[in-house]
Amino acid sequence: MPDPLLRLQNLSKRFETPNGFLKKPRSMLAVRDVSLSIARGEVVGVVGESGCGKSTLARLALCLLEPSGGSVSFDGADLTGLRARELRRMRQRMTMVFQDPYSSLDPRYRIADAVAEPFAVQGLPVPAGRIAELLSKVGLPASMADSYPHQLSGGQRQRVGIARALALNPDFVVLDEPTASLDVSIQAQIIALIQGLQADLGLTYLFISHDLGLVRYFCTRIVVMYLGAVVEELPDPQAAPRHPYTATLLASTFAPDPAERKQLSELTDEVPSAFDLPKGCAFAGRCPKVTERCRVTVPQLSDGEHPVACFYPL
Amino acid sequence: MLLRVENLSVQIGSITPLEGVNFDLDKGEILGLVGESGSGKSLTALALAGLLPLIGGRIPTGRLLFDGADMVPMSRSQLRALRGRKIAFVTQNPMTALDPVQRIGDQVDFVSRTHLGLGRKAARARTVELLTQLRIPQADTICNAYPHQLSGGMKQRIVIAMALSGDPELIIADEPTTALDVTVQAQIIQILTTLVRERGLALVLITHDMGVVAQACDKVVVLYAGRLAEQRQVNALFGRPAHPYSAALIGCIPREGMAPGSLVGIPGAVPSVASYPTGCRFHPRCTNAGAGCSDIVPELRSLDAGGAVACHYPLPGIENA
Ligand SMILES: Nc1ncnc2c1ncn2[C@@H]1O[C@H](COP(=O)(O)OP(=O)(O)O)[C@@H](O)[C@H]1O
Ligand SMILES: Nc1ncnc2c1ncn2[C@@H]1O[C@H](COP(=O)(O)OP(=O)(O)O)[C@@H](O)[C@H]1O
Ligand SMILES: [Mg+2]
Ligand SMILES: [Mg+2]
């Protein structure tokens, strides 16, 4: 890749649980050695089940969280060493849309104030007509500027969240499960909207989801995470899975067509605790293809077109 | 017919959030009850489980025939005897069904002791057997655990074990997998479908996900804004949906190889009870609406191809009776 817009190198994040009564503090790696480069105009999907580290990776990518190891660079500049002021300036160009449109909007502020917030954070004046323009971009009537969040539906609130993320004309947007708390009918509306905005504004997206069907529809490249680590990168959304975990995810994603019913395999074991990872491959306990080698050695992500972290890829 | 729902309505105070629901269900069948949130799925479930009094609801019209007996005039104690024994209820959040301070085994035992009159030992043996059938590893150890020690998927299996423990004929499951990860959802769907096939249970599976419906159900009832939109066999519904709402819901789930931009969703949102539109309640969001839709309520009409639809302008490809 010639000139990535965003480059994550060997990122890790360790969390410690606080010292409790009769409890030793414990630590776990929520993100383990993740490297990822995103070129301008790409829509990269990150998919995995709850707790696998997607939101932590999102916050690391935007430097909202300090990494325990590794580095982030944006448009050629290393962000890891930047001071707060420089970082704030960078945030004009990289923004985030959050999962929950209910808690991400302050109930006391009008919609206009929510959309204008990024200007306030940067100490910039709000250009005349900009709020109405942003609202119209996300398909909301200008009259909604004077409403309060409780007067809006979930889908409308998420549109406000998107308008706010676009306020300062960013290059790069992280969308952290922006439709997970919405009905499927509204999810489809929102996906159509962000797809249109990406094309119109030439945006670059990191799109996070637990829904492999959705990222396969929407993204140009897909990264699959399991327990904090990348287990596979699908170079194009329709590529056949090589990692047994990705294959399991795909087999668990039901098509809206009874002619395509999935033959459900039995995943035996539970997802292990991140505090107590097995010695070898994290998926070994649930994998239908497991061997002794998988239980003792951690497979590394391979190089090449279609990277996979498995000794016996499909 | 194990269950026959005839013209079911639900009233809460002065509002009627659900009306005119009809369907029937035989042993060994899975019926999907689908619609966006606010469609009336949970109210239907509560009515079937005899739990409407809990939310101050009642059934002003209609019949609920279970094994030929109408549940509507039954007393609370008659309903309680039926529920747990013949009819079991599984909710979306397993913690509403589990007591956080009681051990798992005791909670599951309680059902068969109460409803089947089993003694302590026999009840525990039954519990361990059920948990093992539900692929819960080390069932006898798990019996001593408390709910918070288990994962979400494991808790939902315990709730299903509780539901099965009274040896019911009908299970009502209200979004039993909505809160779970997809691989766990697939396991739970697998367990439920196997139970229906092997034990000849009847299952009402409530979901907002047309993917789950296509995967698991034999027949489908589509609800919209408190009314029945369409009722079909699963292959017919997905092959040739008659109601524009059914077609739109199916179109909300991405399919393999779908062209970019073809996922459009349904414009607008489900209205609240206070602002149900006149005529067909779906007409403000419908791409197929025409004359009459905004003021005449469409009657439920039988289709030659089987099933029924409530629409003035059903989609082409459907022969009307
Ligand atoms: N601030 C935090 N302190 C401690 N643990 C955390 C914190 N944030 C996330 N975690 C843990 O890190 C893991 C990954 O979390 P997250 O990134 O939110 O996953 P996802 O978004 O994929 O559901 C989880 O086990 C979560 O409990
Ligand atoms: N206890 C209640 N009191 C008043 N209205 C209710 C109550 N429960 C549900 N409703 C209304 O009935 C309609 C159907 O609700 P529900 O059955 O919960 O829908 P679903 O389960 O399909 O999301 C909704 O408009 C809801 O607001
Ligand atoms: Mg998250
Ligand atoms: Mg409900």
Side-chain angles (χ1 to χ4, degrees), chain A residues 48-51 153 182-192 195 210-214 216-217 238 245 248-271 286, chain B residues 35-37 135 151 154 157 181-187 189-190 197 208 210-218 234-235 238 249-250 252-269 285:
Chain A
E49 294 177 281
S50 57
S153 68
L182 304 174
D183 248 305
V184 286
S185 53
I186 313 297
Q187 160 169 289
Q189 291 175 14
I190 298 287
I191 294 296
Q195 208 161 21
H210 63 273
D211 184 343
L212 183 58
L214 190 61
R216 291 204 337 144
Y217 165 70
Q238 300 307 319
Y245 175 62
T248 305
L249 269 187
L250 191 58
S252 307
T253 306
F254 302 145
D257 184 353
E260 288 175 35
R261 283 190 178 177
K262 297 286 164 73
Q263 200 61 45
L264 299 180
S265 64
E266 293 208 353
L267 269 192
T268 40
D269 210 1
E270 290 264 283
V271 182
R286 300 170 81 195
Chain B
E36 290 162 279
S37 42
R135 311 262 183 272
S151 68
M154 214 42 107
R157 285 185 218 206
D181 275 319
V182 288
T183 58
V184 183
Q185 160 165 291
Q187 292 171 332
I189 295 294
Q190 160 93 326
R197 309 292 174 232
H208 62 273
M210 278 292 194
V212 171
V213 172
Q215 172 73 26
C217 299
D218 302 306
V234 72
N235 289 321
F238 285 88
L249 262 189
I250 294 168
C252 287
I253 312 274
R255 284 176 190 240
E256 198 81 15
M258 205 181 206
S262 46
L263 196 69
V264 287
I266 310 176
R285 304 175 75 191

Side-chain angles (χ1 to χ4, degrees), chain A residues 268-270 278 281-287 290 295:
Chain A
T268 40
D269 210 1
E270 290 264 283
C281 172
F283 190 59
R286 300 170 81 195
C287 186
V290 65
R295 296 189 195 280

Side-chain angles (χ1 to χ4, degrees), chain A residues 183, chain B residues 10 12-13 15-18 33-46 52 54-57 174-175 206-208 223 225-226 270-274 276:
Chain A
D183 248 305
Chain B
V10 168
I12 306 171
I15 59 168
T16 307
L18 189 75
L33 199 55
V34 68
E36 290 162 279
S37 42
S39 297
K41 304 182 298 293
S42 293
L43 286 179
T44 308
L46 290 174
L52 280 176
L54 269 188
I55 59 160
D174 190 357
E175 311 229 20
I206 294 178
T207 174
H208 62 273
L223 293 181
V270 181
S272 67
V273 184
Y276 277 159

Side-chain angles (χ1 to χ4, degrees), chain A residues 51 54-56 99 176-177 208:
Chain A
K54 303 182 296 299
S55 295
T56 304
Q99 167 172 354
D176 188 2
E177 307 218 40
I208 290 174

